[in-house]
Amino acid sequence: MTSPADRPFLFLDVDGPLIPFGSPSGPPQFAADQGNPLLERLDPALGPRLLALNCRLVWATTWGEQANEAVSPRLGLPRLPVVEWPASSPGEGPHGLHWKTPRLVELAAGRPFIWIDDEIGAMDRLWVEGSHPGPSLLHRVDPARGLVDADFSVLADWLRSVAPGYGS
């Protein structure tokens, strides 16, 4: 990949992918603070692994700018762009379409993108397939486990298939 602008977007959710909802498998990584005891479930090893994907990381979470304040420092990530969600009313779009999907397709604007979330469903895949002319990977993460090795393998394999020079 030649320039940052050529890299695929990676739209990243927080709850589920980065903060798993299952029982923690070890001692807390961080002391609970900033009013959210779930922050202790963040795995600091995820930050370097996300950066190594060589994508344009973007927060796609209801945390908004709080993701930069509370999550990025714990993962060793720089401040990331944050998706601004338009006001929408329930029931917009087809039944089963996640409210994030149209906005992410709009922001990708035909460029390759990955969306990591724990709420991706079949309608989201159909919407993206019909609305987005570029390559995309909608990767659903098990919210009980969060991002794990198998997820990173899927992401890296997809990037090698669509991004010239990835991993070389």
Side-chain angles (χ1 to χ4, degrees):
M1 286 175 264
T2 58
S3 76
D6 294 333
R7 296 180 299 178
F9 287 103
L10 192 158
F11 296 114
L12 184 59
D13 186 34
V14 172
D15 294 317
L18 298 180
I19 299 177
F21 297 123
S23 298
S25 58
Q29 299 288 333
F30 299 99
D33 63 1
Q34 297 201 15
N36 188 338
L38 294 178
L39 287 172
E40 68 187 39
R41 295 181 179 208
L42 287 168
D43 179 355
L46 292 177
R49 294 187 80 180
L50 289 165
L51 290 171
L53 292 171
N54 200 25
C55 292
R56 296 167 64 186
L57 299 175
V58 178
W59 290 123
T61 174
T62 56
W63 282 63
E65 198 56 49
Q66 272 193 305
N68 279 321
E69 303 302 323
V71 179
S72 285
R74 288 172 171 78
L75 298 182
L77 296 174
R79 291 187 74 78
L80 302 177
V82 176
V83 173
E84 294 196 21
W85 305 110
S88 61
S89 58
E92 283 187 20
H95 179 71
L97 182 69
H98 195 287
W99 58 269
K100 291 180 182 179
T101 308
R103 179 69 174 144
L104 298 180
V105 168
E106 175 187 2
L107 292 171
R111 295 171 296 219
F113 77 92
I114 297 170
W115 174 24
I116 298 174
D117 206 305
D118 61 314
E119 296 181 346
I120 294 169
M123 183 54 71
D124 302 303
R125 295 178 199 289
L126 288 171
W127 178 274
V128 171
E129 185 179 310
S131 304
H132 181 71
S136 61
L137 173 65
L138 278 61
H139 186 71
R140 186 186 179 280
V141 172
D142 178 350
R145 299 178 342 163
L147 277 169
V148 296
D149 289 343
D151 298 306
F152 281 98
S153 292
V154 169
L155 301 174
D157 288 347
W158 184 84
L159 286 164
R160 275 191 289 278
S161 75
V162 300
Y166 177 80
S168 53

